[in-house]
Amino acid sequence: EPFSIEPDRASDIKNWRNTNNVTVTFGTTDETSGVERYEFILDNGEWNICESPLDLGVLYDGIHHVFIRAIDKAGNARLESLDIYVDVTNPNEFDITANINEKEWTSVSSIILNFDTEDATSGIKRYTLSIDGTEEIEFYSGKATSIIPDGKHILTVYAYDWAENVTSTSAEYYLDVTNPLNFEGKFDI
């Protein structure tokens, strides 16, 4: 049986974990003398005897390197490794700016939003936009919104990192592109 290490959930550069408690399972066989023991090392720690499943405890944000070796009764060893990508921290908070002023009436029907933030560990994967609590849509800075009807509207931008941690910010805009209704006036001249 090939020697393999499996995390309790996928973990790679595109699958960062947003939980920092990690368990791995592993195993192999040795047809001649048999496996005597397993040992592991996490990052730059010390080798320790272990069993599968192995709880690695609470890991801080970053990339962690786990090495597990199987040692048979004759002292032969086989080494396998696994990198674990952990990011439990939300992206940094951010502000929205636009081509119109917030909370002031304007006669435009589409708003160009500008925003940017960072995530120190896994980076920003995507941004989304929700208008008045509607379903989020993919969005990016510098893009114009679709046509928005007259009224007061709350626009919320969400920033997701590669571990799907999220930070959001909202701004309120007032739109009125409709002309006043026709009216009749009587003038006494």
Side-chain angles (χ1 to χ4, degrees):
E1 170 178 326
F3 188 23
S4 65
I5 307 171
E6 297 296 327
D8 51 2
R9 108 172 209 227
S11 182
D12 58 42
I13 193 68
K14 291 188 177 179
N15 292 296
W16 285 76
R17 304 170 60 97
N18 58 12
T19 60
N20 56 4
N21 291 321
V22 179
T23 300
V24 295
T25 56
F26 50 88
T28 190
T29 58
D30 182 273
E31 293 182 15
T32 308
S33 64
V35 174
E36 181 178 351
R37 70 183 183 280
Y38 294 97
E39 297 175 343
F40 86 100
I41 188 171
L42 175 62
D43 296 326
N44 294 319
E46 299 290 325
W47 286 102
N48 292 290
I49 294 175
C50 63
E51 295 179 351
S52 181
L54 173 62
D55 181 353
L56 297 174
V58 176
L59 303 179
Y60 55 86
D61 281 7
I63 302 171
H64 300 275
H65 311 286
V66 179
F67 296 91
I68 298 178
R69 61 186 175 195
I71 303 170
D72 68 15
K73 293 176 183 168
N76 300 307
R78 169 85 188 248
L79 180 70
E80 289 294 330
S81 65
L82 175 70
D83 290 336
I84 299 173
Y85 296 75
V86 176
D87 181 355
V88 297
T89 305
N90 291 340
N92 296 338
E93 292 186 12
F94 62 100
D95 292 317
I96 299 172
T97 59
N99 61 323
I100 62 174
N101 293 327
E102 189 175 355
K103 296 184 179 180
E104 291 182 14
W105 286 104
T106 185
S107 61
V108 300
S109 61
S110 182
I111 305 168
I112 298 172
L113 299 176
N114 296 292
F115 47 85
D116 189 36
T117 190
E118 295 179 357
D119 182 81
T121 306
S122 64
I124 298 297
K125 179 179 181 182
R126 65 188 167 97
Y127 293 98
T128 62
L129 171 69
S130 173
I131 300 173
D132 298 325
T134 59
E135 183 177 337
E136 295 174 43
I137 58 169
E138 294 287 324
F139 205 75
Y140 57 87
S141 184
K143 182 178 179 181
T145 65
S146 56
I147 302 299
I148 301 174
D150 288 358
K152 295 180 178 182
H153 299 281
I154 297 175
L155 280 65
T156 304
V157 174
Y158 299 87
Y160 290 88
D161 66 17
W162 283 91
E164 291 298 312
N165 298 307
V166 63
T167 296
S168 66
T169 191
S170 298
E172 188 172 8
Y173 298 100
Y174 303 165
L175 308 178
D176 182 1
V177 298
T178 306
N179 293 329
L181 297 176
N182 291 335
F183 65 95
E184 288 185 28
K186 293 188 180 188
F187 299 98
D188 187 16
I189 302 183

